[in-house]
Amino acid sequence: MHTLGASGETWAEVIGADQSRFSAPDLPGHGTRRNEVFDTAEAVATCLETGPRFHVAGSGLGAYVALEVLRAAPERVASLFLAGFPAAGGPERVRATAKALDEQGVEGFATSYMEGTLLRPDERFARAMAGLRPEGLLSGLAAARSWSLPSARPPATVLRGEHDVRVDEQAARSLAAALGADYVTLPLAGHVAYVDDPRGFREVLDAFHRATEAQEEH
């Protein structure tokens, strides 16, 4: 699941030719669903359409949704992979974002966000952010900052881009410890690691899935 302001299309470089193995839906308020507001129950329902059992990977807002999928259907989640999380900031962050959107407009906000967050330009990400409605972005942000941990503990990994300016190392490590998860740093990535370094992200993800599936076989 994609990060706040992005779309399923932004996973294209991670997925590559493996279209049958991966599903990267647009979350409510994003991509082809930009006319909606973000709704957690709708996001979870979208993910549960994937199949009877699946690995879940999410970045930012998508990581929040991944936790909610685990809460709703723990028996269907084979593993959990979270990146660019936990969400930081309280209500003041939502207010500050709303003010920035009002002052800069969506395109100006998108440009400012990407310049301060991504380590490399990305056309898909830029297109997704520029097409957002403020209501979609703000509702997603408000939901993600209200996250909490479900009780289930499947095999899990927490990944942080080494240059992440939005989630500090201590917060990410604390999340990993709370989940009993492995902790991984991606050296060539920032907050949106799957966009900054899709090849490195995919290597870590594949290794985690192989280890999880080998463990299940035994």
Side-chain angles (χ1 to χ4, degrees), residues 19 24 26 28 30 44 56 58 60 65 78 81 95 100 102 107 119 123 125 137 145 149 163 166 190-191 195 208:
Q19 299 291 329
D26 290 336
H30 296 73
V44 169
V56 183
V65 175
F81 192 98
R95 291 193 294 268
D102 185 55
E107 290 194 14
L119 297 189
E123 182 180 343
F125 199 100
L137 191 146
R145 54 160 297 276
L149 291 179
H163 305 283
R166 297 182 179 275
H191 182 58
V195 171
F208 171 59

Side-chain angles (χ1 to χ4, degrees), residues 38-58:
F38 180 83
D39 180 84
T40 299
E42 285 290 332
V44 169
T46 295
C47 297
L48 292 178
E49 293 172 1
T50 300
R53 188 166 166 80
F54 40 77
H55 298 280
V56 183

Side-chain angles (χ1 to χ4, degrees), residues 27-31 33-38 132-133 136-137 139:
L27 297 175
H30 296 73
R33 305 176 68 176
R34 65 176 60 87
N35 290 328
E36 303 175 33
V37 296
F38 180 83
L132 281 176
R133 295 169 65 242
L137 191 146
S139 56

Side-chain angles (χ1 to χ4, degrees), residues 122-200:
D122 185 86
E123 182 180 343
R124 296 182 184 91
F125 199 100
R127 184 164 56 245
M129 282 212 82
L132 281 176
R133 295 169 65 242
E135 296 86 348
L137 191 146
L138 292 171
S139 56
L141 178 60
R145 54 160 297 276
S146 66
W147 69 279
S148 63
L149 291 179
S151 59
R153 291 291 182 270
T157 287
V158 171
L159 180 144
R160 178 181 178 270
E162 186 173 337
H163 305 283
D164 192 335
V165 297
R166 297 182 179 275
V167 176
D168 65 39
E169 182 178 2
Q170 181 179 355
R173 285 189 178 276
S174 294
L175 176 64
L179 287 167
D182 294 333
Y183 178 79
V184 177
T185 300
L186 203 57
L188 302 179
H191 182 58
V192 192
Y194 75 94
V195 171
D196 283 333
D197 184 11
R199 179 178 296 182

Side-chain angles (χ1 to χ4, degrees), residues 78-138:
S79 72
L80 188 67
F81 192 98
L82 306 180
F85 202 75
E92 71 282 353
R93 183 179 172 196
V94 180
R95 291 193 294 268
T97 301
K99 182 180 179 182
L101 283 164
D102 185 55
E103 292 175 347
Q104 302 171 24
V106 172
E107 290 194 14
F109 176 85
T111 298
S112 175
Y113 179 89
M114 288 185 291
E115 288 177 349
T117 305
L118 299 182
L119 297 189
R120 65 177 186 124
D122 185 86
E123 182 180 343
R124 296 182 184 91
F125 199 100
R127 184 164 56 245
M129 282 212 82
L132 281 176
R133 295 169 65 242
E135 296 86 348
L137 191 146
L138 292 171

